[in-house]
Amino acid sequence: MIKKPFKVSARTARLIGRENVANADGAIIELVKNCYDADSKVCIVYFDIKYNSVPKEISPTLYRKFYKETLDEEKSSLFELAYEKNTKKSNTTYILRKNLDEDINTELEFFYKSKNKLYIVDGGEGMTEQVIDDHWMTIGTNNKLEDFVTPSGRIKAGAKGIGRFALDRLGSLCHMVTLPEVDEKPSFTGFDWKVDWEDFEGEGKNINQVEADFQKIENLKYDIKLVSLIPDIKVSSVVKQNNDFFQTGTLLEISELRDWWTKSQIDKLFRNLEVLTPPGSTQKFDIYLFSRGHKNDYGKIKNDDFKDYDYRLDANVKEDKTVEITVHRNEFQLNQIDQDLFKRNQMKVAPYDKTTFRQGSFTINTTIFELLPQLEGSPREKEANKIGPIDFSFYFMKMRSSRILKEKFSYKSFSPKHRDEWYKKFGGIKVFRDNFRVRPYGEVNNSSFDWLLLGERKAQSPAGVTKKGGGYRVSPNQVAGVVNISRVANLEFEDKSSREGFQENETFEVLKELLLSIIKEFEWDRHTVMRQMDLFFREKNENEAAKADADSMSEEDENSNDNDSKTKEEYKEERSTFKRAYDSIKLDYEDIQEEVKLLRALATTGLLVTSFAHEFETIKNQMERRTNYLKSSLKKLLDEEKLNKELENRNNPFKKLENFKKYDSKLKHWLDFSLAAIRKDKRNTKTINISEFLEDFKNDWEEVLNTRKVTLNVTTTNEKLLQLTVFVIDIESVFNNLLINSFDAFDRKGFVGKRIVNINVDLISDFEDGLDYLVINFSDNGPGLSKNVKNPYAILRPGFTTKLDKNNEPNGTGLGMYIIDSVVEYYNGVMEIENPEKGFAVNIKLPYKV
């Protein structure tokens, strides 16, 4: 048996390279990355563009020159076929013929493009002859995978060893001049390397048949050489200012360009280079872009950190999976905020209190599994554990505001024009790997701009920031961000072969979920602050008084026939009063609509139960008797005492009937409970005795308490507790949901021991306002809140749940505690979640009204 080697055609190698470089912008960026990997502190991109389209008119001098250049062996010239003499002008010129043949037009474009050149220059470590042979001219080399740290400590941006094919994407010819660094000093010997990429074409040509021209340059002065090749004063100035960095390096001259480089195309590249490294990057890597035809339009690429934001989140994901999130509030003018705002109950506690507002920022310490509790113990937990250190900076900035909103929310002033201009360049959430951008995430006017699908989230939950329920979601056109990862610590994030983003694997999906959970921290904070400001503003501006005045005026108009006597000023004042009343009612209506959406979904369940109420009642009655009937029939045929002695319980029909009866009893209890919960009388206000209500509550749950082996202790400390006027369904919702949550906690994996729930109700007088309050203390001795919940008040958010099914997927509705909070808020009460050493405890304080 003999061995047969594989062969690679030269054209195939070239196609592989082209597939890995999507467009001309991407090709230049790949080459700039090479400058970065070469440890260069400076990179220069220079466009020597003489033509950015086919000229429609040329001078006789140019015509004769180009005529000779394109003259073929048959004495025929391309320009003779493409241009004709313009006889309509006194001074002779040559104009482009109309309706040119497509082949001629293609040749003409190629000719003019060949007059253009592109230079990419660095002041890096340069290349030795061995590096050129073993790495530069070896396709798919893995040296950057193995030797991925530069002498200055940079993590190299390249990895696949095919980035040099970007040269082929840009032009047919490449001329390279390089001077290496040897023992941290410039070498005396540089190298000149030239290749014609068209040599890769040819029938049956293998890769090893393609050669480049190569020669040594003795006593090469690199800085002088590059200035002589690019005789532009701006390039000379940069080299002079950074002369220490240009003692070694690599210069690439690309000619016979394949693209038209118009002003708009160069502008686009300039914008892409602006976001090539993260804003405020500490890495010293300056990029300059110049164009021969637009001398004053370009220069040093700037990417200064952005400071005109409303909110900023800095999240640091660490190796041990802990996450530190610092929230910076920059939206509000603190000295313009009415200090009475901080007397509201929710604004008394951190991070919403006055002290935190003055600090301007606060920190949340959490973990990946606290932010994404559904991952812990699930098959996807291992994917989360593959995520290494990550830095995420998130910016929110509103683009427009109004005088009324500024007054209501005490906004800081900002320039919409400045923000618009900045956003067009830097908007979107971008990803950087080792301080180098990974395209196309967050790229404006690209399908991957909103790669976190923030727009889809907003469409599914379009609630405004002040709307009740916390459904506020930020829009993608109001945010910017930087996700900075390390290739060394995040091996799962591999490039697609096209260099357009990461491969879409499970770890990348977990990363997206993690980033969204961090953004949720901003959304909840802004919603909480602005809802409290909105409620405070509405109260402070006497909206209720305006509604009362409007109502009074309406009654007066109905009972009065003397409207004609009103003055213009009186009408104007009435109109203003009615407008304030309307605005207030409109806001109240919008809040109600948000709640109605939730209630509509819950009501559907109730309707399903009520629609079958009669059938359920019949079934319930039959359950009470059916096992007795069946047992009576069996006793006519079987001797129960004999069977009890001779058969095991699992084979004894009478024992099985006893089990059936127990299950029927549980089902009957559930039907009783469900049908009672939706009785019409519970949806009306009613005066109840608290002590009697709690005794009835305990009796209603007795069957379930016994089944689950839970002891419920109910006490009323103060004998003065008498009557309370409430919607019965409201007060039942509070106790039912709290008890259900305790049941779920007792069933949580790992909990053992007695199951005890305590409910104590007391009547106290508040010394500050002199009012009486009903205080409900609810506690259990279960495992308490999940360790993943660092902020206990997060459980009040609609949709928040830590309940998981057998596959560790979110299973709860996330509405129980939200409903309790809504009830407490409706009755102008306060709920405080305690932090006991063991179990769960909550205090609810309701104004005592009979």
Side-chain angles (χ1 to χ4, degrees):
M1 181 181 293
I2 61 173
K3 300 286 187 180
K4 290 281 188 180
F6 282 97
K7 295 180 181 179
V8 179
S9 72
R11 188 170 182 274
T12 300
R14 189 182 186 190
L15 289 174
I16 291 172
R18 285 187 174 180
E19 286 293 318
N20 278 270
V21 184
N23 51 47
D25 274 19
I28 291 177
I29 287 171
E30 285 299 317
L31 295 171
V32 172
K33 284 182 182 180
N34 281 352
C35 300
Y36 179 87
D37 290 349
D39 240 353
S40 179
K41 301 293 189 294
V42 183
C43 170
I44 301 172
V45 178
Y46 183 81
F47 286 93
D48 185 1
I49 305 299
K50 296 176 181 175
Y51 300 98
N52 56 29
S53 65
V54 174
K56 293 182 178 180
E57 187 173 15
I58 58 176
S59 67
T61 304
L62 276 181
Y63 178 82
R64 287 192 293 272
K65 181 175 183 294
F66 293 159
Y67 179 92
K68 292 179 181 178
E69 288 182 20
T70 58
L71 202 61
D72 60 21
E73 294 177 355
E74 298 177 358
K75 303 300 180 181
S76 175
S77 171
L78 170 65
F79 274 70
E80 186 178 19
L81 300 173
Y83 285 87
E84 61 184 357
K85 187 178 291 187
N86 183 6
T87 57
K88 295 182 180 180
K89 286 188 176 182
S90 56
N91 55 327
T92 304
T93 59
Y94 288 82
I95 58 174
L96 197 65
R97 296 180 188 272
K98 295 180 179 179
N99 303 318
L100 279 179
D101 181 81
E102 187 175 336
D103 290 339
I104 292 176
N105 196 60
T106 301
E107 283 188 54
L108 204 57
E109 285 191 4
F110 179 82
F111 176 82
Y112 279 114
K113 286 177 184 176
S114 70
K115 300 296 180 182
N116 299 329
K117 291 182 180 180
L118 167 63
Y119 296 86
I120 298 174
V121 182
D122 73 49
E125 58 189 0
M127 286 186 275
T128 64
E129 183 174 359
Q130 183 178 355
V131 170
I132 293 173
D133 290 341
D134 295 345
H135 302 309
W136 180 252
M137 294 190 68
T138 300
I139 298 168
T141 178
N142 64 350
N143 75 299
K144 289 187 181 181
L145 279 173
E146 296 175 352
D147 182 21
F148 53 82
V149 182
T150 69
S152 70
R154 289 178 181 172
I155 304 298
K156 294 179 181 178
K160 294 182 180 294
I162 48 180
R164 65 195 61 82
F165 278 96
L167 295 165
D168 178 23
R169 172 61 186 83
L170 293 169
S172 297
L173 302 177
C174 177
H175 174 205
M176 178 176 76
V177 175
T178 183
L179 180 66
E181 185 180 89
V182 178
D183 296 329
E184 300 184 1
K185 294 180 181 179
S187 170
F188 294 105
T189 304
F191 304 98
D192 189 290
W193 180 92
K194 294 178 182 177
V195 69
D196 184 343
W197 296 105
E198 304 309 316
D199 289 347
F200 282 73
E201 299 292 338
E203 191 69 32
K205 185 181 288 187
N206 289 332
I207 189 70
N208 58 354
Q209 294 175 285
V210 181
E211 297 175 331
D213 296 328
F214 177 82
Q215 68 178 31
K216 294 181 180 180
I217 308 175
E218 299 296 342
N219 299 315
L220 174 63
K221 299 292 184 181
Y222 179 68
D223 54 343
I224 296 173
K225 180 69 174 180
L226 71 86
V227 169
S228 68
L229 287 172
I230 314 175
D232 187 291
I233 190 169
K234 294 205 169 187
V235 174
S236 302
S237 177
V238 172
V239 173
K240 186 176 181 181
Q241 292 170 14
N242 299 275
N243 191 255
D244 289 344
F245 299 146
F246 284 105
Q247 296 305 301
T248 61
T250 300
L251 177 147
L252 297 171
E253 178 191 79
I254 307 160
S255 55
E256 292 192 6
L257 302 186
R258 304 188 190 281
D259 299 270
W260 291 119
W261 285 97
T262 62
K263 176 73 163 55
S264 62
Q265 290 299 110
I266 300 174
D267 285 344
K268 180 171 175 283
L269 174 65
F270 191 84
R271 290 193 298 269
N272 282 329
L273 290 173
E274 282 183 309
V275 292
L276 191 60
T277 56
S281 174
T282 56
Q283 282 279 2
K284 169 65 177 173
F285 184 61
D286 294 332
I287 305 172
Y288 293 83
L289 186 148
F290 300 113
S291 173
R292 173 183 173 179
H294 310 92
K295 292 187 180 296
N296 298 318
D297 292 328
Y298 308 107
K300 185 177 180 179
I301 308 289
K302 296 180 180 179
N303 65 340
D304 296 332
D305 202 2
F306 186 59
K307 294 183 173 58
D308 185 23
Y309 55 82
D310 291 322
Y311 262 83
R312 172 175 171 172
L313 262 71
D314 292 321
N316 176 228
V317 181
K318 301 177 182 177
E319 186 68 43
D320 61 358
K321 306 302 176 277
T322 58
V323 183
E324 184 179 272
I325 304 171
T326 303
V327 181
H328 304 266
R329 296 190 188 114
N330 195 45
E331 188 168 13
F332 313 107
Q333 194 77 34
L334 185 59
N335 60 4
Q336 297 295 321
I337 295 176
D338 191 323
Q339 298 304 295
D340 286 344
L341 171 70
F342 299 102
K343 294 180 181 179
R344 296 180 65 83
N345 288 321
Q346 196 149 0
M347 301 299 287
K348 291 179 182 178
V349 296
Y352 310 111
D353 59 310
K354 189 191 297 186
T355 301
T356 307
F357 258 80
R358 283 175 176 164
Q359 290 172 350
S361 65
F362 62 94
T363 299
I364 303 167
N365 289 299
T366 181
T367 70
I368 289 178
F369 298 108
E370 288 167 5
L371 293 167
L372 300 171
Q374 69 271 22
L375 295 183
E376 193 164 27
S378 75
R380 300 174 71 217
E381 181 178 358
K382 64 179 182 180
E383 303 301 331
N385 284 320
K386 292 177 182 177
I387 293 177
I390 292 173
D391 290 317
F392 176 36
S393 292
F394 172 85
Y395 301 87
F396 164 78
M397 64 211 80
K398 56 185 176 293
M399 297 300 176
R400 300 288 181 271
S401 185
S402 66
R403 182 185 59 77
I404 294 173
L405 292 177
K406 187 175 181 180
E407 178 187 348
K408 180 189 287 190
F409 299 114
S410 303
Y411 286 150
K412 287 183 178 179
S413 298
F414 64 92
S415 168
K417 181 181 178 182
H418 176 66
R419 286 192 174 183
D420 280 341
E421 290 173 352
W422 187 90
Y423 189 82
K424 287 174 183 176
K425 290 182 180 180
F426 304 107
I429 296 175
K430 296 175 171 59
V431 179
F432 296 82
R433 181 170 51 199
D434 299 307
N435 294 304
F436 231 86
R437 176 146 170 239
V438 180
R439 301 178 70 197
Y441 303 115
E443 192 166 304
V444 179
N445 299 323
N446 186 288
S447 59
S448 294
F449 171 74
D450 185 21
W451 59 285
L452 290 178
L453 303 181
L454 296 177
E456 188 176 302
R457 289 170 78 244
K458 181 67 174 176
Q460 292 172 355
S461 182
V465 68
T466 62
K467 292 298 173 285
K468 185 176 181 180
Y472 165 64
R473 296 291 180 267
V474 70
S475 298
N477 59 354
Q478 295 178 311
V479 305
V482 172
V483 182
N484 206 341
I485 68 173
S486 168
R487 194 213 309 178
V488 177
N490 288 281
L491 299 175
E492 293 297 310
F493 300 139
E494 296 184 4
D495 289 338
K496 292 179 181 176
S497 60
S498 63
R499 301 294 180 95
E500 292 288 302
F502 295 126
Q503 295 178 21
E504 303 282 337
N505 55 31
E506 274 295 318
T507 311
F508 186 63
E509 290 302 314
V510 171
L511 171 66
K512 291 195 285 187
E513 292 175 31
L514 177 61
L515 297 177
L516 287 173
S517 70
I518 293 170
I519 292 172
K520 278 184 183 178
E521 296 296 329
F522 146 74
E523 291 170 335
W524 182 254
D525 185 81
R526 187 166 187 259
H527 158 74
T528 303
V529 171
M530 296 191 69
R531 175 158 176 80
Q532 292 302 311
M533 284 182 166
D534 180 58
L535 292 172
F536 177 74
F537 182 84
R538 287 154 67 176
E539 293 167 4
K540 198 78 173 176
N541 284 271
E542 301 177 340
N543 287 328
E544 295 303 319
K547 286 188 278 187
D549 289 345
D551 187 54
S552 176
M553 290 175 188
S554 179
E555 288 183 5
E556 288 176 8
D557 285 345
E558 288 178 5
N559 300 324
S560 174
N561 296 318
D562 195 24
N563 289 335
D564 293 339
S565 63
K566 292 182 179 178
T567 65
K568 184 177 180 181
E569 285 71 22
E570 287 174 327
Y571 274 117
K572 190 173 182 180
E573 185 178 344
E574 283 189 6
R575 182 178 180 275
S576 176
T577 300
F578 275 106
K579 185 179 185 306
R580 293 203 315 274
Y582 168 77
D583 289 342
S584 177
I585 292 169
K586 182 182 176 184
L587 289 167
D588 290 341
Y589 173 76
E590 289 174 351
D591 272 356
I592 291 168
Q593 284 297 99
E594 289 299 316
E595 194 146 334
V596 164
K597 291 176 185 177
L598 172 62
L599 295 176
R600 193 180 292 129
L602 297 174
T604 302
T605 305
L607 286 172
L608 288 171
V609 175
T610 55
S611 63
F612 293 101
H614 178 72
E615 289 83 352
F616 286 154
E617 193 70 35
T618 303
I619 293 169
K620 181 171 69 75
N621 293 333
Q622 290 177 353
M623 284 180 179
E624 294 178 326
R625 301 189 297 269
R626 65 180 182 177
T627 51
N628 291 333
Y629 290 154
L630 184 55
K631 185 174 183 179
S632 178
S633 298
L634 283 174
K635 289 180 81 170
K636 293 176 182 180
L637 301 172
L638 301 171
D639 185 339
E640 182 179 3
E641 291 184 8
K642 184 179 179 181
L643 290 177
N644 286 340
K645 293 177 180 179
E646 296 179 357
L647 293 177
E648 296 179 0
N649 287 347
R650 60 191 179 91
N651 295 323
N652 188 334
F654 291 100
K655 295 296 182 183
K656 287 195 173 187
L657 277 177
E658 289 177 13
N659 289 334
F660 291 162
K661 191 171 184 177
K662 289 179 183 177
Y663 293 132
D664 282 353
S665 177
K666 291 178 182 178
L667 185 55
K668 174 182 174 297
H669 180 268
W670 179 85
L671 288 170
D672 283 337
F673 194 86
S674 299
L675 294 171
I678 57 172
R679 286 205 317 263
K680 188 175 181 179
D681 64 310
K682 293 192 176 183
R683 287 171 269 152
N684 299 321
T685 55
K686 186 178 179 180
T687 301
I688 62 171
N689 181 288
I690 295 298
S691 298
E692 293 175 1
F693 169 82
L694 289 172
E695 281 303 315
D696 291 340
F697 172 78
K698 184 175 180 179
N699 292 333
D700 290 340
W701 280 96
E702 185 176 10
E703 182 72 26
V704 180
L705 290 167
N706 292 334
T707 302
R708 290 177 174 261
K709 296 181 175 57
V710 175
T711 301
L712 174 60
N713 300 315
V714 177
T715 57
T716 52
T717 304
N718 198 312
E719 294 298 326
K720 289 171 60 179
L721 287 174
L722 297 172
Q723 311 295 320
L724 188 67
T725 302
V726 291
F727 288 97
V728 179
I729 199 167
D730 283 344
I731 202 73
E732 280 190 348
S733 294
V734 170
F735 288 106
N736 286 341
N737 280 299
L738 286 171
L739 190 57
I740 290 168
N741 282 346
S742 291
F743 290 159
D744 289 332
F746 289 138
D747 290 340
R748 200 180 302 158
K749 187 177 179 181
F751 176 76
V752 292
K754 292 183 178 181
R755 302 179 171 202
I756 301 172
V757 174
N758 296 309
I759 299 176
N760 177 262
V761 182
D762 197 1
L763 185 66
I764 65 169
S765 294
D766 193 301
F767 291 107
E768 289 186 12
D769 55 24
L771 299 177
D772 290 336
Y773 288 90
L774 188 76
V775 178
I776 302 167
N777 178 265
F778 180 98
S779 63
D780 66 43
N781 69 332
L785 291 176
S786 169
K787 65 179 182 179
N788 294 330
V789 181
K790 290 296 184 185
N791 175 15
Y793 288 92
I795 67 176
L796 305 181
R797 304 176 190 176
F800 184 94
T801 181
T802 57
K803 297 175 186 175
L804 306 174
D805 61 18
K806 62 182 180 180
N807 296 320
N808 279 75
E809 294 297 328
N811 190 33
T813 63
L815 295 176
M817 292 302 296
Y818 168 70
I819 290 171
I820 296 171
D821 187 47
S822 298
V823 170
V824 173
E825 183 180 348
Y826 176 79
Y827 290 100
N828 296 315
V830 179
M831 179 160 57
E832 295 179 355
I833 300 172
E834 296 185 351
N835 185 26
E837 291 183 5
K838 184 178 181 182
F840 172 79
V842 61
N843 282 315
I844 298 172
K845 183 179 171 184
L846 300 174
Y848 184 68
K849 297 177 183 178
V850 179

